[in-house]
Amino acid sequence: MQTSLGPYGRNKIVVNHLQKYILTSDAATILRELEVVHPAAKLLVMASQQQEAEMGDGTNLVIVLAGELLKKAEELIRMGLKTSDVVAGYERAGDFAIKALEGWFGVPFWWSITVSYNHANAN
């Protein structure tokens, strides 16, 4: 998906299960046509679909960012960190980022309420 980003992003040819050819650089379209089986990949597809439903754009960014977070998590786990420590670190980083962005823009983000609500209910 990274090669689809930006003004010089390249198109991809996707052949779906009906042998229909689709030429696009849009992550949402690519993911919609793929039959994803892996649980982590399904989460990425769901995140992309939610981004498209909420904002109508930014699906490529969601996929690339989430993919990089998963890559880094894998590295940390291979180094010996526990999965719960990686998750806790990502949650702390997310909280820090939200606070930094709120301080920078001076207004709370609509999604910060959602993140805080989901985080509070998860415990």
Side-chain angles (χ1 to χ4, degrees):
M1 291 296 163
Q2 288 178 334
T3 58
S4 299
L5 288 173
Y8 301 109
R10 290 178 243 143
N11 287 330
K12 310 289 183 248
I13 298 174
V14 179
V15 183
N16 68 9
H17 64 284
L18 300 173
Q19 300 303 312
K20 179 180 174 185
Y21 290 86
I22 299 163
L23 180 68
T24 184
S25 65
D26 180 45
T29 304
I30 294 168
L31 293 172
R32 200 173 23 252
E33 296 300 326
L34 296 177
E35 294 179 23
V36 180
V37 178
H38 192 277
K42 281 185 180 183
L43 285 174
L44 292 178
V45 171
M46 288 171 37
S48 173
Q49 290 170 342
Q50 188 64 33
Q51 175 69 17
E52 185 177 36
E54 291 287 332
M55 299 296 182
D57 196 13
T59 54
N60 290 28
L61 174 69
V62 168
I63 296 299
V64 171
L65 180 61
E68 288 300 316
L69 289 172
L70 285 172
K71 265 195 242 179
K72 293 299 177 188
E74 181 183 21
E75 288 176 23
L76 293 170
I77 290 169
R78 288 186 190 274
M79 289 172 44
L81 267 70
K82 293 184 287 186
T83 306
S84 59
D85 292 338
V86 174
V87 170
Y90 278 175
E91 287 176 348
R92 285 184 65 191
D95 291 341
F96 179 82
I98 289 170
K99 286 182 180 133
L101 289 171
E102 286 176 347
W104 189 27
F105 289 110
V107 294
F109 290 101
W110 63 268
W111 44 268
S112 68
I113 298 166
T114 307
V115 170
S116 299
Y117 177 79
N118 289 338
H119 181 68
N121 288 335
N123 295 330

